[in-house]
Amino acid sequence: DQQVKQNSPSLSVQEGRISILNCDYTNSMFDYFLWYKKYPAEGPTFLISISSIKDKNEDGRFTVFLNKSAKHLSLHIVPSQPGDSAVYFCAASGGGTGANNLFFGTGTRLTVIP
Amino acid sequence: GAGVSQSPSNKVTEKGKDVELRCDPISGHTALYWYRQSLGQGLEFLIYFQGNSAPDKSGLPSDRFSAERTGGSVSTLTIQRTQQEDSAVYLCASSLGRGGQSGIQYFGAGTRLSVL
């Protein structure tokens, strides 16, 4: 049962515009959320995270928004650059779940068109 | 090196053979994880090591899979009698601890396993 879902397998955005990647989760015990970026033939690279006590975290061009009532988070990249083209994975963790691992979505492939 | 190191980067094997995959975590990280990613899928948790505690093996798909972590550092994932459905990228990650910011996991580049 997929507890973290990324329903858009791909997204194309023009360079300079905003990219919005979405993620939904089902387990209300998750208390920490992360975004990873993955280039081909490389492992996922940590990008940004947010604790469930916050609703927004910003780091440069990247902002993550968390809506706990909707069990939804999103990653905004602005302005988008061609180097941002990669697969983005949403992940969640939670001590309350009793699990030691991160739960990952299936990823969204972002293509930024020059 | 500063990051998580995995070897080999690619492994091709015949069905029925055993394989060993190695992971060298970031120095000082007490937690180590193995995941696998099959084609078109997300990352699937396999096993977790934390310090000297008993590992969390809840994600291992069958008893053909096992892992060890020696001296709290290097880990080896062993797959016995490989099957074609074992073909995937096997990823190792490490973190300072568990949960929240200390639980942020840093990944190696993975081992791509192909079972013919």
Side-chain angles (χ1 to χ4, degrees):
Chain A
D1 183 32
Q2 195 77 20
Q3 299 191 53
V4 177
K5 300 177 184 178
Q6 294 176 258
N7 294 318
S8 297
S10 63
L11 174 69
S12 290
V13 170
Q14 206 73 32
E15 180 179 4
R17 307 294 285 269
I18 185 170
S19 296
I20 300 176
L21 296 98
N22 293 302
C23 176
D24 297 292
Y25 61 95
T26 57
N27 193 332
S28 59
M29 300 186 84
F30 288 144
D31 60 11
Y32 204 75
F33 303 89
L34 309 90
W35 284 93
Y36 283 83
K37 174 179 176 180
K38 186 180 184 303
Y39 292 117
E42 295 183 11
T45 302
F46 170 71
L47 189 58
I48 192 169
S49 62
I50 187 167
S51 164
S52 61
I53 62 172
K54 296 185 174 181
D55 55 18
K56 176 182 174 181
N57 187 27
E58 189 173 352
D59 183 2
R61 297 185 296 112
F62 303 90
T63 303
V64 55
F65 295 91
L66 175 63
N67 182 334
K68 280 190 298 182
S69 61
K71 294 192 181 69
H72 177 83
L73 66 157
S74 60
L75 174 68
H76 293 208
I77 307 172
V78 56
S80 301
Q81 299 174 353
D84 296 330
S85 297
V87 177
Y88 289 79
F89 290 96
C90 171
S93 66
T97 66
N100 295 304
N101 52 295
L102 291 176
F103 293 84
F104 283 85
T106 52
T108 296
R109 181 179 300 278
L110 173 66
T111 302
V112 180
I113 304 164
Chain B
V4 176
S5 177
Q6 290 188 248
S7 62
S9 54
N10 283 285
K11 176 72 177 178
V12 180
T13 190
E14 293 178 350
K15 178 182 171 181
K17 301 276 190 180
D18 297 352
V19 295
E20 282 190 355
L21 312 179
R22 177 190 167 104
C23 173
D24 203 338
I26 293 172
S27 177
H29 280 193
T30 61
L32 185 148
Y33 310 77
W34 284 96
Y35 293 85
R36 74 175 175 183
Q37 185 180 18
S38 302
L39 194 62
Q41 303 296 312
L43 277 71
E44 174 191 5
F45 167 71
L46 297 177
I47 189 168
Y48 161 80
F49 295 90
Q50 172 66 54
N52 294 322
S53 301
D56 174 356
K57 304 179 182 179
S58 60
L60 294 179
S62 79
D63 59 8
R64 296 186 295 103
F65 288 73
S66 63
E68 290 185 342
R69 188 179 185 191
T70 53
S73 181
V74 172
S75 176
T76 302
L77 177 69
T78 301
I79 309 173
Q80 295 179 309
R81 306 181 303 281
T82 52
Q83 304 294 312
Q84 288 182 332
E85 61 262 29
D86 299 335
S87 297
V89 176
Y90 288 81
L91 291 157
C92 176
S94 68
S95 66
L96 277 171
R98 173 177 178 258
Q101 196 153 12
S102 64
I104 293 173
Q105 297 176 27
Y106 296 88
F107 284 82
T111 294
R112 181 175 297 277
L113 176 65
S114 300
V115 182
L116 305 180

